[in-house]
Amino acid sequence: MSGCTMVLAVMFHNKWICLYYLLLLYSVNTLLLSSVSAFFIIPSAHDVNLQHKTYASNGDIELLQSNKNLPPLPDRRACLSSISSVGIIYTAASVSAKETDLLSTLRTIPTNDNNLQVDELKDTVPITITLPLELSSGGTFSVRIIFTSDKSLEVYKAIVDTGSPYLVLPSSNDNNKPGILEQIMMNIASAANDDSSLLLSQSKYSPTEEVYGAVTGNINWKLGKFSFRDDRLQITDSSTFGVVGVLDEALTNEATGGGAYEPLALLGLIRNNNPNRRPRFPEARPTFLDQECIISDDASDDSTNKQYRIKSFSLDGRPSRELTLSTQSLIPSATTSVMELVDLRTVGDFVDHYAVLVESITFDGVSITSQSLQAFTGSRIERPIVAVFDSGLTGCLLIRNFADVIEQYMSGKGSASVTVDEFTSVSLNLTQKSKQKQTKGKRITTCNIKSSVEEDPRLFYVQPIDLDWFDSIEYSPYIVVLGQTFLTQGTLTIDIDERVATFIT
C-alpha cells in the first residue's frame, strides 16, 4: 500500500482505528504520511524529542518490537505501589466493643453498595474482549489506550492495575496536554493552540487529594474520549466522554514509575467504591469499570440497548500475556474451588480492593497464622491475614502494623532482630472453598502462591507501607499486598459480581 493510500484510509475511513493499528506495526521505524490538506510525520527513533516526551526512544521501540525482555529497572521499586488509599488523614474512629468478630464483618457486603443497585446495562449474553499486554516499567503489564479529539490523537501505555479504581494519566509541564508517554503523539491541527486539538476538557469534578502508595498528592479530574484496539470496548452511551484523572508530579513518580524509566498511565480495575462515605474520603469519582461497557457484536452504530456491564476480568501474566474482560464470569462452571473475596470496605476501605483470606504465610521458612499472631500479641480479637492482589505493584508490601508484629514475632524465634525488608522468600496459602452446590462455601483446599529473591531477583522485595484504609488500626485485618513478583506466575481471574477469584499457575 502506498503512503498516499494509507493516508486516505486513515483520514477518511474510520481514521482513528486505522491509524491506531498503523502505529502498532513493529517493523516500521519511519513513516511519512501526507494528504491533500494536512500532513504529519512519524519520526524514526533517531529523531525523538525526549525533553518533551513526544516520541518513542530507541529502547522503547526495541521493546515494542520484541516484547520479550523486561525493560531496564534502575530502581526495582519503580512501581513501589499503585495501590490507592484516599486520604486527608483523620484520627481513626473508635469501634464498638461488641464488634469482635472481624472475620464475619469482612464477609458482609455493604447493603447500599452503589454498584449493587439497579444496573442499567442489562447483561444477557456473555461477550469477552481480550487485549494484549506489553511489558512495562517495574515489571508491570500495560495496554494501549488511544485518546482523540477533533484534531489530535495520543496513544498511551497504561499499567493494568488491579490495586486502584481510576483511569489516570501522568503529569505534564505542558498545560495543554496531560503528558506524553513513550507512544507517538500526532497533532493534525494547524495551530498548536487550537482549542479543538486539546484532548482533555474540564469535568464537573473538583480536584481531590489522594494517596498512592505512601505519597499524598492531587488529581485533577478531566473529560476525555478514549478507546482501545477492540472497538467493542466503549464508554457507556450516557456520555461520549469519560472521567479521567491527571496525577500531579509527586503521584506520577510514586504510582507510575515516572522518573525511573517512563511515565505511564494507570488503568484501574477496581470497580466498586465504598457507598458508606467516611469524612476522610473525598467524593468518589467514577471508576474506569463504572464508565466502560462492552458492545455486542451485532450492535449497530445507533444502538442504545446493547451495552453490557463488565462483570469479570482475567489477567494472564504467563507468556500469553493477555487481559480479558467479560460480561459474564470467566471462572468456568466446572471449577471446583474458588477464593472468596472479602470486603475491606466494611472496616473503612474506600474502595473494594480484591482481597482474599490467607490461611498461613511463611517468611524465610517461618510459618505464621492469624491464630499464632493472636496468641503472641494477646489480643482479644483475631485479626485475619488478608492478601490484596495488586498488578500495579512490583514486589510485596506489608501494612505497617503487620510488619511490626511480624518483626517482633520473627525476632522471638531467633537470636537476632529481624526486619521485613531482609526477607528473601514469601509463601502464602490462600483459603479456597467449594464452588459446587452440594458443598458450596466449605473450605476444601488452599491456593499456594510464592516468590523469592532467588527465583525472581529483579522484582522480589518485601517492604512495610503505611495505608490509611481502616477506621481503626486495632479493628482491622493484617494486610499483605501481592505484586507482579507473584502474579506473573499465573492467571488471576476475578468475578466481581459473584465475589470470587482464582489464581491458576
Side-chain angles (χ1 to χ4, degrees):
M1 180 182 288
S2 68
C4 182
T5 305
M6 286 183 181
V7 168
L8 291 177
V10 169
M11 298 295 290
F12 302 111
H13 183 68
N14 202 358
K15 60 182 180 182
W16 299 126
I17 299 300
C18 293
L19 185 54
Y20 179 55
Y21 281 103
L22 182 62
L23 295 178
L24 296 179
L25 291 176
Y26 299 157
S27 61
V28 178
N29 287 334
T30 305
L31 295 175
L32 176 62
L33 307 182
S34 62
S35 67
V36 175
S37 59
F39 74 92
F40 45 86
I41 297 175
I42 305 176
S44 70
H46 301 288
D47 299 323
V48 299
N49 185 341
L50 295 178
Q51 181 178 1
H52 296 92
K53 303 184 183 69
T54 305
Y55 301 111
S57 67
N58 283 319
D60 296 331
I61 289 179
E62 291 172 1
L63 175 63
L64 299 183
Q65 288 173 339
S66 65
N67 199 23
K68 293 180 179 179
N69 298 316
L70 283 168
L73 193 61
D75 181 355
R76 64 179 180 174
R77 294 166 179 79
C79 289
L80 173 63
S81 181
S82 61
I83 51 179
S84 276
S85 65
V86 171
I88 299 173
I89 309 299
Y90 288 87
T91 303
S94 60
V95 178
S96 170
K98 67 180 181 181
E99 295 180 318
T100 57
D101 189 354
L102 182 54
L103 189 56
S104 296
T105 302
L106 295 176
R107 287 173 169 156
T108 303
I109 303 170
T111 55
N112 59 335
D113 193 318
N114 55 341
N115 287 294
L116 296 181
Q117 295 176 356
V118 177
D119 188 349
E120 296 178 357
L121 306 181
K122 299 184 183 302
D123 194 350
T124 57
V125 181
I127 308 171
T128 61
I129 286 178
T130 298
L131 301 175
L133 297 172
E134 298 178 49
L135 290 167
S136 300
S137 178
T140 59
F141 293 125
S142 63
V143 295
R144 297 297 180 96
I145 303 179
I146 183 169
F147 277 76
T148 58
S149 68
D150 291 342
K151 293 185 178 181
S152 62
L153 171 151
E154 290 176 8
V155 182
Y156 286 83
K157 202 159 78 171
I159 294 171
V160 177
D161 184 17
T162 62
S164 67
Y166 306 120
L167 171 57
V168 295
L169 302 180
S171 65
S172 170
N173 294 326
D174 186 334
N175 293 327
N176 291 331
K177 294 189 291 291
I180 309 303
L181 311 179
E182 56 86 8
Q183 290 79 359
I184 298 168
M185 175 269 180
M186 291 174 297
N187 192 338
I188 308 172
S190 57
N193 295 324
D194 187 346
D195 287 342
S196 61
S197 70
L198 303 182
L199 292 181
L200 301 180
S201 58
Q202 293 296 327
S203 74
K204 66 179 182 179
Y205 298 103
S206 59
T208 55
E209 185 177 63
E210 313 271 350
V211 179
Y212 275 67
V215 174
T216 301
N218 293 308
I219 296 184
N220 287 314
W221 299 95
K222 306 287 187 177
L223 293 176
K225 183 182 292 186
F226 51 84
S227 58
F228 298 82
R229 65 185 298 163
D230 192 321
D231 58 9
R232 294 176 299 166
L233 186 58
Q234 296 184 9
I235 303 170
T236 59
D237 66 359
S238 59
S239 172
T240 57
F241 295 89
V243 177
V244 181
V246 180
L247 304 172
D248 66 9
E249 185 175 354
L251 293 184
T252 295
N253 291 335
E254 172 70 9
T256 73
Y261 179 64
E262 56 183 346
L264 298 167
L266 285 180
L267 185 70
L269 293 184
I270 294 178
R271 192 183 72 186
N272 298 336
N273 285 303
N274 191 338
N276 302 319
R277 187 173 176 271
R278 306 302 205 268
R280 69 181 186 278
F281 297 172
E283 181 185 352
R285 289 353 186 193
T287 67
F288 169 72
L289 289 182
D290 258 344
Q291 304 178 80
E292 204 72 1
C293 65
I294 294 176
I295 306 297
S296 60
D297 295 304
D298 59 346
S300 60
D301 291 339
D302 60 352
S303 173
T304 58
N305 60 354
K306 293 187 177 181
Q307 301 180 55
Y308 300 92
R309 187 186 190 89
I310 296 170
K311 296 185 176 181
S312 183
F313 67 84
S314 180
L315 186 63
D316 188 347
R318 295 172 295 185
S320 55
R321 295 176 190 154
E322 294 176 336
L323 170 66
T324 302
L325 305 168
S326 178
T327 62
Q328 296 286 8
S329 179
L330 289 169
I331 298 177
S333 57
T335 302
T336 58
S337 59
V338 293
M339 294 178 284
E340 291 183 343
L341 296 178
V342 294
D343 200 331
L344 300 178
R345 295 174 297 174
T346 59
V347 287
D349 197 355
F350 86 107
V351 294
D352 190 12
H353 281 97
Y354 301 122
V356 298
L357 291 175
V358 176
E359 195 159 300
S360 65
I361 185 168
T362 301
F363 299 101
D364 292 352
V366 178
S367 181
I368 298 171
T369 66
S370 59
Q371 294 85 3
S372 63
L373 290 183
Q374 182 183 15
F376 175 74
T377 61
S379 173
R380 64 183 178 84
I381 299 174
E382 180 185 337
R383 299 175 62 180
I385 302 172
V386 172
V388 172
F389 297 111
D390 184 4
S391 61
L393 170 71
T394 301
C396 177
L397 299 177
L398 305 178
I399 194 171
R400 179 73 62 180
N401 59 70
F402 187 33
D404 291 344
V405 171
I406 291 297
E407 289 178 352
Q408 297 168 15
Y409 184 89
M410 296 282 283
S411 297
K413 294 291 183 179
S415 56
S417 62
V418 175
T419 59
V420 297
D421 57 5
E422 296 174 329
F423 291 156
T424 60
S425 67
V426 177
S427 176
L428 303 97
N429 287 319
L430 307 177
T431 303
Q432 292 189 138
K433 297 195 173 184
S434 174
K435 188 172 178 286
Q436 305 306 310
K437 287 184 178 180
Q438 300 86 340
T439 56
K440 189 173 182 179
K442 291 186 177 180
R443 184 263 187 211
I444 58 174
T445 185
T446 59
C447 169
N448 181 259
I449 182 171
K450 62 182 179 178
S451 186
S452 68
V453 69
E454 180 179 358
E455 297 169 328
D456 189 7
R458 298 186 70 252
L459 301 183
F460 179 86
Y461 65 85
V462 181
Q463 276 195 340
I465 187 171
D466 295 295
L467 298 175
D468 178 40
W469 285 6
F470 305 120
D471 296 328
S472 166
I473 295 178
E474 292 77 17
Y475 189 71
S476 63
Y478 293 122
I479 299 296
V480 52
V481 189
L482 307 180
Q484 288 295 86
T485 190
F486 301 97
L487 300 182
T488 53
Q489 302 174 35
T491 301
L492 172 67
T493 302
I494 302 289
D495 185 326
I496 305 173
D497 282 12
E498 294 297 322
R499 303 193 61 79
V500 293
T502 59
F503 185 75
I504 307 299
T505 58

